[in-house]
Amino acid sequence: MIIWLASYPKSGNTWLRAFITSLLSENITQNSLENMTGIRAYPLTDDFKNLLDDYKDFKKIAQNWETTQNIINLQKKIRFLKTHHILCNVENFPFTNYKNSLGAIYVVRDPRNIITSLLHHYSLENYENALEFLLDKHRFSGRLDRKENLERQTEFPTYISNWSNHYNAWKNFKKNFLLIKYENLVNNEENEFLKIRTYLEEKLNLKFSDNKFNTAVSSNSFLKLKKIEESEGFSENVSIDPNKKVNFFNLGPKNDYKNLLDKKISKEIENLFYPEMKELGYI
């Protein structure tokens, strides 16, 4: 069955994957950034290539979500899948179901900080464009505007919607749901990683030694992952602009909207997302 590692883009999903990879790996000293293939993304082109002739019709994609996940679960073992996809229904076709899903870990982040990461990661022109991305209820990543087979796995259409829709959808996942706040990872990573350790021990019926846990924590601090990317690269860092090098691990803890974001844009985000931000303690 599937345990989803879900988040809105640029909210710490890769950080979560790196830690879980280290915790589950037999080689605790292995570079977790290049060892995350066991926790791959969904949806990918390969999931649908024998089911669809093209990927332009989102309804047809939705009709095959359950089939692709049934196929993944034929191995009859627990699989972690990373996704930025919103938990949605398209004409009564759900993104996933409890038959295929064991649980979900959802990482949420203050949208006033996400916006700077979106600006950087997607090489957007300005904060106004990044705000448009953040607020767009119809936002997709990947490509939904072409008929031919997609060249890169990461181009497969993934429906994101806006930040509040994404959070509100996933927080209602009813089975083995764990909410992790990015800010808590930054400020007290050991405590937050301990929550994830406990969750995994319960769901996987495993027991991790304190040494294994401590090593996984220390080897997956944000600064450690950033240094690994700078020295060894990161294969998943696919730049939107081929003429511009963009680091995947950028500001991290230094990404503080109070120092980076125009007050007008910050206020607009707060007004539009007030209920969710209030619920999460962001305002």
Side-chain angles (χ1 to χ4, degrees), residues 92-254:
N92 293 320
F93 297 106
F95 174 69
T96 191
N97 54 44
Y98 298 130
K99 179 188 73 175
N100 277 314
S101 300
L102 177 62
I105 302 175
Y106 187 83
V107 189
V108 67
R109 186 183 187 187
D110 191 324
R112 295 169 296 186
N113 290 329
I114 287 177
I115 191 172
T116 295
S117 293
L118 293 175
L119 176 70
H120 172 80
H121 181 74
Y122 292 101
S123 299
L124 301 175
E125 187 174 342
N126 50 49
Y127 271 106
E128 286 71 24
N129 288 346
L131 180 63
E132 181 181 344
F133 186 115
L134 191 70
L135 303 182
D136 186 0
K137 294 180 181 180
H138 306 290
R139 174 66 59 174
F140 275 81
S141 69
R143 302 290 298 277
L144 194 61
D145 60 348
R146 55 193 289 183
K147 293 183 178 180
E148 69 271 21
N149 286 340
L150 303 177
E151 297 173 0
R152 294 205 310 264
Q153 292 278 348
T154 53
E155 290 182 337
F156 193 84
T158 299
Y159 180 37
I160 299 171
S161 191
N162 64 20
W163 178 85
S164 61
N165 283 350
H166 201 283
Y167 165 69
N168 283 322
W170 276 102
K171 78 176 185 183
N172 288 314
F173 194 87
K174 304 297 184 184
K175 186 178 180 183
N176 298 325
F177 180 79
L178 176 64
L179 178 68
I180 296 293
K181 290 175 67 174
Y182 178 92
E183 293 74 21
N184 291 343
L185 277 174
V186 169
N187 296 320
N188 193 345
E189 60 186 27
E190 184 172 352
N191 185 65
E192 292 305 293
F193 283 141
L194 181 59
K195 294 178 183 178
I196 298 166
R197 170 189 177 176
T198 301
Y199 178 93
L200 296 180
E201 287 182 332
E202 291 177 353
K203 308 316 171 200
L204 304 181
N205 194 26
L206 293 174
K207 186 66 177 178
F208 303 109
S209 69
D210 289 341
N211 179 57
K212 186 70 174 293
F213 172 72
N214 293 333
T215 301
V217 172
S218 62
S219 61
N220 287 285
S221 69
F222 182 89
L223 292 179
K224 182 66 177 293
L225 295 176
K226 183 176 177 64
K227 288 180 180 179
I228 291 174
E229 180 187 12
E230 290 173 348
S231 62
E232 303 177 28
F234 180 34
S235 60
E236 294 187 18
N237 184 9
V238 180
S239 178
I240 304 299
D241 182 351
N243 298 316
K244 181 180 179 182
K245 180 181 178 181
V246 177
N247 290 329
F248 190 94
F249 294 92
N250 187 34
L251 295 174
K254 295 181 180 179

Side-chain angles (χ1 to χ4, degrees), residues 5 47 161 229 248 255 274 283:
L5 307 182
D47 292 317
S161 191
E229 180 187 12
F248 190 94
N255 184 350
Y274 180 83
I283 54 179

Side-chain angles (χ1 to χ4, degrees), residues 35-49:
N35 192 36
M36 292 194 297
T37 54
I39 306 179
R40 54 91 155 181
Y42 178 93
L44 294 179
T45 306
D46 282 352
D47 292 317
F48 295 81
K49 67 180 181 181

Side-chain angles (χ1 to χ4, degrees), residues 67-104:
T67 299
T68 60
Q69 292 170 34
N70 287 340
I71 293 171
I72 290 170
N73 281 325
L74 285 176
Q75 297 180 8
K76 297 188 181 303
K77 65 179 183 178
I78 295 174
R79 293 287 303 273
F80 293 92
L81 294 181
K82 163 211 169 175
T83 192
H84 291 313
H85 208 292
I86 189 172
L87 188 65
C88 63
N89 281 272
V90 176
E91 298 189 15
N92 293 320
F93 297 106
F95 174 69
T96 191
N97 54 44
Y98 298 130
K99 179 188 73 175
N100 277 314
S101 300
L102 177 62

Side-chain angles (χ1 to χ4, degrees), residues 110-112 163 167 181 269-270 273-283:
D110 191 324
R112 295 169 296 186
W163 178 85
Y167 165 69
K181 290 175 67 174
I269 293 173
E270 292 166 8
F273 297 148
Y274 180 83
E276 294 79 17
M277 295 180 71
K278 180 71 173 177
E279 178 182 304
L280 289 162
Y282 290 143
I283 54 179

